[in-house]
Amino acid sequence: MSSAIETLRSEALSSLAAMADLAALDMWHVTVLGRKGSLTGLLGTVGTLPREERPAFGQAANALKRDLEAAYEARLSDLKAQALQDALQSARVDVTLPGVPTTSGRLHLSTQTLRDVYRVFGQMGFQVYRAREVETDEVNFQLLNIPPHHPARDMQDTLYTTTPNVILRTHTSPGQIHAMREYCPQPIRVILPGLVFRNEQVTVRSEFMFHQVEGLAVGRNLTIADLKGVFTEFARMMYGEDRRVRFRGSYFPFTEPSIEVDMDCMLCDGKGCRVCKHTGWLEIAGAGMVHPVVLQNGGYDPAVFSGFAFGMGVERPAMLKYGIDDIRYFFSNDIRFLEQF
Ligand code: FA5
């Protein structure tokens, strides 16, 4: 019988040495040391032996079991070390290689410009007042002294919704009505920033969606001199001490008198170029004294109160400041443009 034990020992040990990986080793464990393995089978034959041979057989079989288990553990740790070595060889990591750069986001140029505008007007005591982008015809036009069929509506070709009288605001001026109705009868000094929408032919200097910043001051004894002072100060704080600003007479139904504010074109130093339409000047804002009818619509008595208002683009002045010669870059979402600012 001990020869059966010795046969199993030599067979098991030589097959163990041939197991080349962990999966094969696992199979070896099942077939040799497992519940239905060859060693268990051998132990099961003990009952067929003569009684006096049984103790010696049992001892020898148990010794074999210990030896095989020890051999298995040794082979297991060899193969694990081998597997680790292989993995390290095949997936070498060069810790000196530069990392993959992550792209970081940034504020859109319009947002940066808006924040500059807030800072400058903030220093002059203007607060930011937010008004809605979807408006009624009444607030966008009628309460601003632009009745239905008024020719001034042609200046702002409108995007209508499917709901009657609900439109996308064509300018930030309707915010004046909301601000006045909220603050009346207190004095007001606010700016109203945001997107506006017009059904316009898109060109190098005109978008169908762009930002405006409205300004509104209402109080006693405000005159057009206050408006000119505020705007000149704004242009210098925003664009530099030597900025040239000019005021031209104009017309808006919601201001009386009305003016238009131009700044010298920084792209061509006033010589004339594609962006300034070869005039040397770029219009940056419409403005004027708040029309008495509008003051009244806001709840203020025009015999007691006066006010000034202005509305300016955001993208056009930013074009001047950064030398951008086409407004369409702002919203065409080209990362090569956006990451420059
Ligand atoms: C208005 O929208 C008036 N609500 C401004 C105003 C407010 C006047 C308060 C008086 C008192 P206007 O249509 O000119 O005015 O637009 C004002 C500014 O928006 C322009 O000076 C220009 O800088 C900018 N702007 C106008 N149309 C476009 C456009 N299509 N694309 C980009 N910017 C534009």
Side-chain angles (χ1 to χ4, degrees):
M1 258 314 151
S2 67
S3 75
I5 288 176
E6 286 318 309
T7 308
L8 180 55
R9 176 190 300 274
S10 71
E11 277 174 13
L13 288 177
S14 70
S15 69
L16 180 65
M19 297 298 129
D21 58 38
L22 290 169
L25 186 64
D26 211 33
M27 278 313 295
W28 181 91
H29 192 268
V30 170
T31 51
V32 177
L33 293 172
R35 266 195 303 125
K36 293 180 182 165
S38 40
L39 183 67
T40 316
L42 185 67
L43 286 170
T45 64
V46 70
T48 65
L49 296 177
R51 194 171 286 278
E52 63 278 9
E53 289 180 18
R54 290 181 193 173
F57 180 86
Q59 276 176 9
N62 279 329
L64 173 62
K65 187 177 182 200
R66 276 196 305 276
D67 291 350
L68 291 181
E69 275 169 354
Y72 167 80
E73 291 299 334
R75 184 85 186 123
L76 180 64
S77 76
D78 281 356
L79 286 179
K80 276 188 176 167
Q82 175 81 46
L84 177 63
Q85 208 53 41
D86 290 351
L88 288 174
Q89 283 297 331
S90 64
R92 272 209 130 102
V93 177
D94 181 351
V95 293
T96 65
L97 278 179
V100 181
T102 50
T103 47
S104 58
R106 65 188 69 201
L107 293 176
H108 190 278
L109 180 55
S110 297
T111 307
Q112 292 182 34
T113 309
L114 279 167
R115 293 190 178 184
D116 289 343
V117 173
Y118 302 160
R119 219 172 4 254
V120 170
F121 279 110
Q123 287 179 35
M124 289 191 269
F126 285 77
Q127 287 180 299
V128 172
Y129 185 94
R130 304 243 169 226
R132 62 192 65 155
E133 292 172 357
V134 179
E135 261 300 354
T136 58
D137 183 282
E138 186 190 20
V139 183
N140 192 83
F141 291 122
Q142 295 168 44
L143 294 174
L144 292 173
N145 208 23
I146 314 174
H149 310 300
H150 191 285
R153 288 193 181 215
D154 292 348
M155 297 195 295
Q156 301 179 3
D157 202 353
T158 309
L159 291 160
Y160 293 86
T161 69
T162 46
T163 309
N165 296 318
V166 175
I167 62 168
L168 300 186
R169 67 176 177 187
T170 55
H171 52 170
T172 43
S173 301
Q176 291 186 31
I177 299 291
H178 295 296
M180 284 193 279
R181 290 188 169 178
E182 187 172 330
Y183 288 117
C184 181
Q186 298 161 42
I188 298 178
R189 210 189 291 173
V190 291
I191 52 172
L192 308 100
L195 280 173
V196 303
F197 311 85
R198 293 185 191 177
N199 184 18
E200 282 208 21
Q201 175 74 44
V202 174
T203 67
V204 288
R205 59 191 302 277
S206 295
E207 261 291 359
F208 73 93
M209 176 186 87
F210 53 97
H211 289 91
Q212 283 189 343
V213 177
E214 190 88 5
L216 173 69
V218 178
R220 293 163 202 262
N221 306 318
L222 286 175
T223 71
I224 203 162
D226 298 303
L227 167 58
K228 290 181 77 171
V230 163
F231 224 92
T232 307
E233 186 63 15
F234 164 74
R236 301 212 166 129
M237 283 168 77
M238 184 93 178
Y239 300 107
E241 271 307 307
D242 48 359
R243 210 63 282 129
R244 286 186 295 154
V245 180
R246 79 176 181 187
F247 301 88
R248 287 180 283 120
S250 185
Y251 170 75
F252 297 99
F254 34 92
T255 45
E256 181 60 36
S258 302
I259 57 173
E260 206 113 20
V261 186
D262 299 341
M263 235 169 50
D264 54 342
C265 181
M266 291 183 229
L267 278 190
C268 60
D269 271 337
K271 291 188 198 71
C273 67
R274 183 163 80 115
V275 172
C276 63
K277 287 188 179 165
H278 306 283
T279 62
W281 294 93
L282 206 89
E283 163 208 317
I284 53 164
M289 299 307 289
V290 181
H291 196 287
V293 168
V294 176
L295 277 176
Q296 222 154 17
N297 290 338
Y300 290 85
D301 179 355
V304 180
F305 288 92
S306 59
F308 64 82
F310 53 85
M312 61 181 170
V314 171
E315 285 77 19
R316 277 190 194 161
M319 288 167 77
L320 282 177
K321 184 166 176 184
Y322 296 100
I324 299 161
D325 64 0
D326 194 326
I327 197 171
R328 290 170 292 194
Y329 288 129
F330 280 84
F331 300 114
S332 54
N333 237 359
D334 188 334
I335 201 87
R336 292 169 303 179
F337 170 77
L338 297 173
E339 69 187 3
Q340 292 177 46
F341 305 100

